[in-house]
Amino acid sequence: MRGQCKSGGRCKFSHDPQTLHKDDTHQPCPYLGTAKGCFKGKQCKFSHDSVTARDGTTPQSSQPNTRPRPQTEFEIGFREWTFLIPKQSTRYPSADIGKFFHAGWNLISKNHTETGQQIIKKLATEEGLAMINRLIDDMTVSPGTREGVKAFQDVTLPFLRTITHQDILSSLILETPLDTIYGFIFGPNGRRALKMFTSITSALSTSVWDEAAEDKDLAMAAVTATFAVLEKIIELNQTAQVIEEFTLIVEKLAACIPEQILQAGSRSLDRVRQRLGLGTAMPLHQGRSSYRNDHRPVFQLSQDLPGELSELGPRHDNDHSNICDIKILPTTDEIQSTRLEYLPSNDHAKHHLPGLAGLLDRQFRLLREDTVGQVRDAVLVEHQRLAELSKAKASLQPRNNGIRTNVYQKLAFLRLEFDRRKGLQIVAEFDQPVALSKKGSKEREEWWKNSKQLQADAFVALVSSTGRTIFFTICDPTPTPPPKRRHVEDTTGAKVVAFLKTRDERPSLFKQAERSALILSFIENNSEDVTWITSHLGKSHKLRASLVEFPGILLPSFKPTLQALQQMSRTLDLPFSQFVSPNLRITGDINLPVPAYSRRPGFSFDLGTLVGGQPLRLVPGQTFDYDLLRRKSTLDDAQQKSTINALSSCLALIQGPPGTGKSYSGIAIIKALLKNRDKAKLGPIICVCYTNHALDQLLEHLVKDGVEQLIRLGSRSKSEILQDLNLHHIAKEVKSTKVEGHEKYLLYQQLDNVLDEIEPLMQGLKKANNVEEYLRHHHPKHFQQLFGRGVDEEGFQEVRGRKFNVLNSWLKGSPKRITSTRQVSELINISPNEMSQVERLNLYKYWVQKSTADINDRLLHVIDSYQNIQDSLKRCHQEVDLRCLLGAHVIGVTTTGMARNLDVLRRVRAKVVLFEEAGEVLEAHTLTALLPSVEHAILIGDHEQLRPQINNYEFQHDNPRGAKFSLDISLFERLVHPRSGNLKLPYSTLELQRRMHPSIAELVRSTLYPRLQDHASVSVYPEVDGMRKRLFWLDHDEPEDSLPSKSSQSFSKTNSWEVEMVTALVTHLVRQGVYQSEDIAVLTPYLGQLQKLKQRLRSSFAIVVGDRDVEDLETKGLGDESGAELPVVKTAVRKATLLSALRIASVDNFQGEEAKVIIISLVRCNEERKCGFLKTSNRINVLLSRARHGMYIIGNTHTARPVPMWDKVITILEQDGNVGRTLELCCPRHKETQIEVSKVDDFTIFSPEGGCNRKCISRLECGHACINKCHSDALHNSVRCLERCQRIKKGCDHSCRKACGDACDLKCQEQIANVTLPCGHVHAQLACHHVQAPETVRCRVNVTVVMPGCKHKAKIQCHDIPYIAKLSCNAICDAVLQCGHNCKQTCKDCNKKDQDGHFLKVNHGVSIHAQNPAMKTLRASSAWNHVRFGAVIHNAVRNVMNLAYLALSTVLGHAHTVVLASCHVRCLAIYFLVLNDARRFSIAAINVLPFVERYALTLSIVKSVPKNR
């Protein structure tokens, strides 16, 4: 019917005209965020409030009576600029076109974000592209002439600068419109771009050379913008790389522009040449380049190249020669492949790709194999187990492949779900672990919580017996709440209730005794995987599959880096590629050029921050005078030289041995760069660290030194100082622009539409089959013949009062006379009633298969749309993050965070990046952090300390088999210590250490750092209290523990004897009472030993375990079995000062840390003399360089000596007598006493309290003798004396009854019997201090008195007699009223007193009708008795306000209100009446609504009550 909605009740919109009209006024106008705005003005039925994203935020309320907000300068300018666009088919003069682009550039150059976004979006429309086309057409009119040059400067150049403005190019939200503009400029086959650049070349060749052209800045801006546009066009259009005319244009442009001016666009020019294949970007300076053909006698084995380059063909479907085509996670075919993967070595001559492409290819393949390879192998092991299980029908133990996994059996997929925020999800279940078979729900919940298995975001894989492998992450089961609808009628309340119900019914790991349930989310929405899952939904499918969890693998730790390497291989835009990956063999010294930003004429560094603000300048490329820097700077000589070299080199390398102040030097460099930030146009300085802890330390130092505008990326910061400087926190305070708000509004609308499409598809998948719907759309004839009579929603049809399933009846109802077996292709055109039962069954299977495939196809299409919308929304939110980052001076980020946020960080135009601990960072991570905009990279590290951590031992440099890969060699180490024949870059070394005592520093100086010097301060360190020597190796022969092969700790090593010895030594040191929190640290190379130490020390000490150690323990399955920390044992000796706090850590996670005293447990002691982890000099170096005052090593020298560095260290220690079987202790009070310990019990025997075994001869503060053994002053002062206290109390002769060590009571508490008080009463027992002052005792004996005024008798306590006048009388009033009755109220209610006890007035309730003529005849008692009725209440309270509470107390719970007895009010109707307005009865009726049980009746009550009475 015309005028009615055809969707009927299924329509999601409101059909109420009043409601619809009301909502429209609040719905934002869809034209408000567009360039021209709304054309309807005040006649528009939508709201013109500011458009905000549909994220639940509430817009400001509209105030129609207020004056409209005045337009800003930018809004007026943009509006006038849009008026310059002509109407269609209007020929516009060139002068007006120039005015259009000039005005646009003027607005863009003012750096107003919102206006810039609006202009670019407008230029990307049909009208804007028409203006660009007219501009290009006019450029060819008079090229090369004076008029052409002027047109270029006035018209073309403003347009070029507009579309190459840095804020425009870096914007995420403008990426699509910019691509549209650049694509339009390129034109068909590049003809439009060639025409434009030919004209630009002619103009530049004429204008830039002109002697009269004095504006050099304008010329440089023209060159910069021209090459930037050319670079962008060639980047976006690969066909440009094969058009020879572009090559000619580039060469002509480069030839006709003076080199000084060409320098402004050199960066873009280099990239254009690189893409066009015209050579490298920058030549090496002062190096002799030569091709070297090394004729070394080698035997070369044939190499199996990747992908199609292999002679045997690709290994599997994920084997490609181009890494961009390789999927990050292994495919099923890759897992099943038996051929070895292609792994390129570090020999460049054997790479299948040269130069930078070969470097990126090698890093990608090795890093992927190191991370994903172990996942692939673990999945293969589980697949083989399932295959063998299906054959042998027996449980098999999975083989150990070097990676820890948790396997969950009998996986089944229950259903698909779709979450608004998380996307497609799968609800799955599996068998509960065997350990939970007989546990209750609470125990299961506790087990899952403490085991930390299958937590949110965990990385898991489905492995089926058929070979199918799909990777997932675990989802938080809490669903996303429904959005707050503001502009359309919606059953929000019902949705909220449904949401709460759904939340309570979510899958749980512990609720069911037999099965655990969880929610999985696809890592990649692969169409084949989704289809496979949908075909295996439900418990009925006999799916033999397992769920494999990889607890030690975090997908975000490697996936972003691998994706970044793929992106870099496409663009090859790595800065310093000529040094990082040169194509030529270089011999001789290399002098690195100065940073590109410092090459501008007249530029110099202001170094005032290094010399206390005094004038000091550094001119890059010129000799620097160090005299003033030495006199005024706090940097030492090596730090000064390193700082100057870092500022003077585009790729600076600084080696910092332990304790030499690497971080201090880095902060000095950052502060110097910030001083010159504006002059050099540096943008934000990016500081990259390997760990969150190191990043927090660096940024905290910068904040304390006064550095402002600092932002930290990442949510894992533990620093309170940096909480408000986190990007997530800062971005919350930034408002979106109108363009961004409108963009998000439209995207949320599209998201709603997509979700509406998904919902019926998900319902269709839940049904047993969807044949009916499929036939309706694809086979209408069959549909009509089967369902023509109509069926209900469940597919049933009613005939003669009986229901039957149409399809089931059809399948079973074939005539027996028909026995044909035709093909399905023939049956499609045959009536379904003319088929045999076999044909019907085959056709039905075909229908089910096709209907399921149809739903899957539609679902996949909608999921793609959903993902595109989410990506667009992410870009909108990142746009706000980008604005925050562009305003920062320093950006701090970890290497992993760098890879995650690469899309945003690439757009901040940072020219400087600084790496802390660069020697510990994988080369792949360093390469991805070198953003294309970087012109200055500073790497600070030490290649002699820890190398990057990798998983695969076969790739380690120290492994003879892994040396050819050397994946654990950082870029820093490769550049300062390259392989023979490779390029070596100059670097600076810090030489003055301020950490270790000289005797400790000698261990690393004699082995690794011959030039290391000691600062004077380290020579005056105090001796270690309680120890005879500050440096000692306690040698022992106690063997390491032998662990069972099935133990979770079989990957690690332990030594129980060393655990006990370390505990005893730590206890001895803490008892000295001089070491504060974290002054003592215990180090060990093995996580198994770390776990044992933690468990042993927890009962006695407050242990501080580093974050990375906690993660490593959990990764290896060595976390606390209880899942919780045990409480620290507190004893009297420690009191409030926690002297026993210490730090335990693994060697690998203690780099960059230090402590006053270090205790080392080496663990290894075996006949095979296998030293394990500590056979590398890097780890030994870190282990020996952490201590400041003293270091004690517990280990077996016989096992360690085969390692060359250990042999040198042991030799040095032996020369000074610092190796032995016994450890010498020292009693601080009896230093002459010799104490030697060699086992744990020796500490108890010879030094039971941290001193010697003599009795303490010092007196306690109280004067009594100390009964303990010799101990430190701290322990001595904390001894509690248990002797009887003899001090006499003041005012009496009683002595203190407490122990001497306890604090005495301030007053004597001795009890005295039968004390007579001043009032004459006798108290049975009082404390002595009360007897001394009896007037302070309150006598509580009850006495009968006559109350003054009313003369009533009352009982009060004796101590209240002096205050009797002020007391209230609680007796019955009993006064005779006017009616003759006696008053039944209490005396205190009738007789009101003031503060002094004087009577103010007598009120028996008679005044209720004093001023009410209508009630003068009503008696007071009647008013009281009848106050329950509404009419009486209104009259009574009308003028008597003091009876409001009386009315309240009477009417509570009564059923009658305003004479309407049928309305049942719960309790507070009269209360609202009295407290609000006694004269307005309607208020009572309105305010009772929340308390009325029968709502409909209440509405009629409101209408029947007059507005005013």
Side-chain angles (χ1 to χ4, degrees), residues 21 162 220 775 922 941 945 1166:
H21 177 73
T162 295
M220 295 176 70
L775 294 179
L922 282 168
Q945 296 189 56
N1166 52 72

Side-chain angles (χ1 to χ4, degrees), residues 1071 1243-1253 1269-1270:
R1071 283 174 174 170
F1243 285 92
T1244 305
I1245 297 172
F1246 301 114
S1247 181
E1249 296 289 336
C1252 57
N1253 57 1
K1269 295 288 186 178
C1270 180

Side-chain angles (χ1 to χ4, degrees), residues 52 143 189 308 329 673 868 921 1388 1500 1507:
T52 56
N189 298 321
E308 64 278 5
L329 295 177
L673 289 168
N868 293 333
V921 180
K1388 64 181 179 182
S1500 63
K1507 293 291 183 181

Side-chain angles (χ1 to χ4, degrees), residues 40 153 219 398 510 546 562 637 719 815 846 854 1050 1071 1088:
K40 294 186 178 180
Q153 294 176 348
F510 57 86
S546 301
L562 292 173
D637 290 346
S719 171
Y846 171 79
D854 181 59
S1050 60
R1071 283 174 174 170

Side-chain angles (χ1 to χ4, degrees), residues 110-126:
K110 294 178 181 178
N111 298 323
H112 187 255
T113 303
E114 184 174 317
T115 304
Q117 293 172 345
Q118 292 173 328
I119 288 176
I120 296 301
K121 278 186 166 289
K122 189 64 179 176
L123 285 176
T125 62
E126 185 176 353

Side-chain angles (χ1 to χ4, degrees), residues 554-561 563-564 686-692 695 711-716 726-727 874 878 881 885 891-906 915 921 924-926 928-931:
L554 299 176
L555 194 62
S557 66
F558 63 87
K559 186 178 179 181
T561 303
Q563 291 174 331
I686 299 180
C687 299
V688 184
C689 296
Y690 177 60
T691 65
N692 284 284
L695 180 62
I711 288 182
R712 190 202 193 282
L713 270 69
S715 59
R716 304 195 64 182
N726 190 278
L727 175 61
K874 181 181 178 182
Q878 285 180 333
D881 294 343
L885 294 174
I891 299 174
V893 63
T894 61
T895 53
T896 303
M898 189 84 181
R900 287 189 198 178
N901 298 278
L902 210 54
D903 287 342
V904 178
L905 291 173
R906 279 176 174 265
F915 294 87
V921 180
H925 288 280
T926 307
T928 55
L930 291 176
L931 305 174

